[in-house]
Amino acid sequence: MRLLFLGDIVGRPGRTAVCNALPALITRYTIDFVVINGENAAGGFGITEAILNDVLDAGADCVTLGNHSFDQKDTLVFIERHDRLIRPLNYPKGTPGKGSTLLKARNGADVLVINAMGLVFMPDLNCPFRAIDAELTACALKRGADVILVDFHAEATSEKQAMGLFLDGRASVVVGTHTHTPTADARILPAGTAYMTDAGMCGDYNSVLGMDSDEPINRFLTKIPRSRYEPATGPGTLSGLLVDIDDATGLATRVQPLRQGPCLEPAIPEV
């Protein structure tokens, strides 16, 4: 099967780019399952139910979150209604929503999607390594699920790399989000797991992590906030990862970055 993961949607440029491009990408590359991180979709902070529905209607099968999961307070309520929206698995017990979901792909495969958040330079949550380990013990690759994707929302590259190797051979794909900058290390790990430290973002790259540059630059120069962060408003660029997965093993056979838009040199897979 073929799986597409797209990095963090940031504001209207990211939403527009995803909703406009995704249907054609699914057709062009015969994609069986799409996962998108949507934690910055609503003005750069969280996600609304209307935006979630727009992204799902465009062709996403699952939307993951991160440290901005509940910036939009309504998310505390509507996340309980959506099996295809998941927040980090390692939030404390009793947090609304869930950290994993088992969904059916277009080719009939059962896909387990797990979202977890790192601890280095991030909120103090439960251990993501132990949380994911328990999840995979309960629903193992090719015993409980045909394909397993982990979105590891973390700051430190070392923590992301450690997670990739920790899960090598137990997950089909481990991909990092949160830093909004695509890394150049997409590869298949020794035991067969597709890995990329950060998928990048879907948003305006002529910005500071998707935000209009004036206020971030002001804060670096003066250390004094002048206004709130606002998403940049230029054209959005898609950034993500395209993975081919062996139906027999659930492990990756091919991995390639996918970028489409005006702000990055296009990386369009040859398939």
Side-chain angles (χ1 to χ4, degrees):
M1 69 169 287
R2 181 166 289 158
L3 183 148
L4 174 65
F5 182 89
L6 293 177
D8 315 41
I9 297 174
V10 182
R12 187 179 298 277
R15 301 196 310 263
T16 300
V18 166
C19 291
N20 288 347
L22 187 55
L25 288 174
I26 292 171
T27 300
R28 178 177 181 180
Y29 295 115
T30 318
I31 295 168
D32 298 300
F33 199 81
V34 179
V35 181
I36 306 177
N37 187 290
E39 73 135 12
N40 300 119
F45 299 95
I47 191 168
T48 66
E49 190 168 21
I51 291 172
L52 171 65
N53 287 330
D54 286 344
V55 173
L56 294 175
D57 288 345
D61 295 286
C62 184
V63 176
T64 54
L65 296 171
N67 57 302
H68 292 292
S69 292
F70 300 108
D71 283 7
Q72 303 293 322
K73 299 308 179 187
D74 288 350
T75 309
L76 290 163
V77 177
F78 74 75
I79 196 171
E80 298 280 11
R81 299 196 292 265
H82 290 275
D83 288 338
R84 297 197 284 166
L85 176 67
I86 58 173
R87 45 79 176 163
L89 179 72
N90 51 326
Y91 267 113
K93 185 177 180 179
T95 301
K98 56 187 180 180
S100 67
T101 188
L102 188 65
L103 299 168
K104 192 73 72 174
R106 293 169 183 82
N107 68 339
D110 291 318
V111 182
L112 176 66
V113 183
I114 299 172
N115 186 198
M117 191 150 67
L119 300 183
V120 180
F121 308 124
M122 298 288 276
D124 187 16
L125 301 183
N126 298 326
C127 174
F129 290 84
R130 291 182 172 86
I132 297 174
D133 182 67
E135 193 73 15
L136 296 187
T137 299
C139 187
L141 186 63
K142 300 311 294 183
R143 293 200 299 273
D146 298 307
V147 173
I148 297 175
L149 178 140
V150 177
D151 171 1
F152 190 39
H153 197 78
E155 181 79 29
T157 54
S158 58
E159 191 176 17
K160 292 179 180 181
Q161 290 172 349
M163 182 63 78
L165 292 169
F166 179 67
L167 299 178
D168 189 19
R170 301 178 64 195
S172 311
V173 184
V174 176
V175 59
T177 55
H178 178 65
T179 60
H180 293 199
T181 303
T183 52
D185 62 342
R187 64 193 189 276
I188 298 176
L189 298 175
T193 295
Y195 174 82
M196 187 176 185
T197 298
D198 201 284
M201 69 173 180
C202 297
D204 179 5
Y205 275 80
N206 289 323
S207 66
V208 176
L209 305 183
M211 296 294 171
D212 182 86
S213 61
D214 286 349
E215 181 58 17
I217 291 172
N218 166 68
R219 295 190 192 189
F220 282 118
L221 287 172
T222 70
K223 311 301 180 186
I224 301 171
R226 184 173 58 198
S227 61
R228 70 187 301 272
Y229 290 129
E230 296 286 350
T233 58
T237 291
L238 297 183
S239 186
L241 192 65
L242 194 65
V243 183
D244 287 346
I245 297 167
D246 188 303
D247 293 335
T249 65
L251 296 172
T253 59
R254 186 182 185 200
V255 57
Q256 185 168 344
L258 185 148
R259 298 194 298 272
Q260 180 173 298
C263 297
L264 294 173
E265 180 181 352
I268 304 299
E270 297 293 334
V271 295

